[in-house]
Amino acid sequence: MRGRFEQFSVFISGIYRSIQKLEREEMVKYGLTGAYAQYLVTMSRFPEGITATELCEVCDKDKAAISRVIANMEKKGLVTRKGKNNTVYRALLFLTDEGKKAAGYVTERAKIAVEKAGSGLSDHDRQIFYSSLGLISSNLQKICKDGLPESC
């Protein structure tokens, strides 16, 4: 019988691998890697623009990763920068029409994936699941920040 740690880590790893595979398969249509899916969907929630610094925070990514993503998305005509001398971190980032189209596509595909993945869950089960997952995530972040205690 598997212990709780093994079961938890196997499930989380499997979910993460499946998400990455789906993102890769969907983003290839735009000549991008799967990692761009999260950025496109996030940016689409900020039609008034979002800075790279804010994107780092919202997506929980480091500045180097965001810089590479922005540069590549600008090259592909999906994102444009405006204001603050067009500096990478202070300028507002906007999706271009092509970027909005890609974000819309990814958002729709993600909705389908989430719906299919959660089939069989009642609304109540889903509410408990997300609440529990949020609590586990928060607790793990605290453990990472503070370190593991010597004993429980």
Side-chain angles (χ1 to χ4, degrees):
M1 182 172 115
R2 283 196 244 187
R4 279 184 14 196
F5 172 76
E6 185 181 2
Q7 188 174 22
F8 176 80
S9 60
V10 166
F11 287 154
I12 294 296
S13 293
I15 290 168
Y16 184 65
R17 278 193 314 276
S18 295
I19 289 169
Q20 286 181 313
K21 182 180 187 300
L22 291 169
E23 286 175 339
R24 269 192 316 271
E25 289 173 357
E26 296 303 324
M27 294 311 298
V28 74
K29 295 168 176 88
Y30 286 91
L32 299 169
T33 63
Y36 289 79
Q38 180 184 14
Y39 303 115
L40 287 168
V41 171
T42 299
M43 289 182 73
S44 71
R45 291 191 355 242
F46 296 89
E48 71 286 353
I50 184 171
T51 66
T53 301
E54 291 167 333
L55 195 59
C56 287
E57 291 169 13
V58 174
C59 294
D60 195 25
K61 304 292 182 188
D62 63 47
K63 284 184 174 183
I66 296 292
S67 292
R68 286 189 300 273
V69 164
I70 292 168
N72 200 9
M73 289 199 312
E74 281 182 309
K75 222 182 285 182
K76 294 193 177 283
L78 301 172
V79 171
T80 187
R81 274 189 265 178
K82 293 181 184 164
K84 299 287 184 181
N85 300 326
N86 286 334
T87 61
V88 175
Y89 297 107
R90 291 188 195 162
L92 285 175
L93 301 168
F94 296 89
L95 291 174
T96 62
D97 287 341
E98 187 64 22
K100 290 175 188 174
K101 180 179 167 188
Y105 172 79
V106 171
T107 299
E108 285 305 310
R109 300 301 289 165
K111 283 180 188 175
I112 293 168
V114 169
E115 184 66 32
K116 292 284 187 189
S119 65
L121 288 175
S122 69
D123 287 342
H124 180 70
D125 290 341
R126 190 172 288 107
Q127 184 179 14
I128 291 170
F129 170 75
Y130 282 113
S131 175
S132 299
L133 193 59
L135 179 60
I136 290 168
S137 176
S138 178
N139 288 342
L140 285 171
Q141 288 173 9
K142 184 171 176 21
I143 291 167
C144 287
K145 180 182 172 204
D146 299 343
L148 271 174
E150 291 301 316
S151 63
C152 290

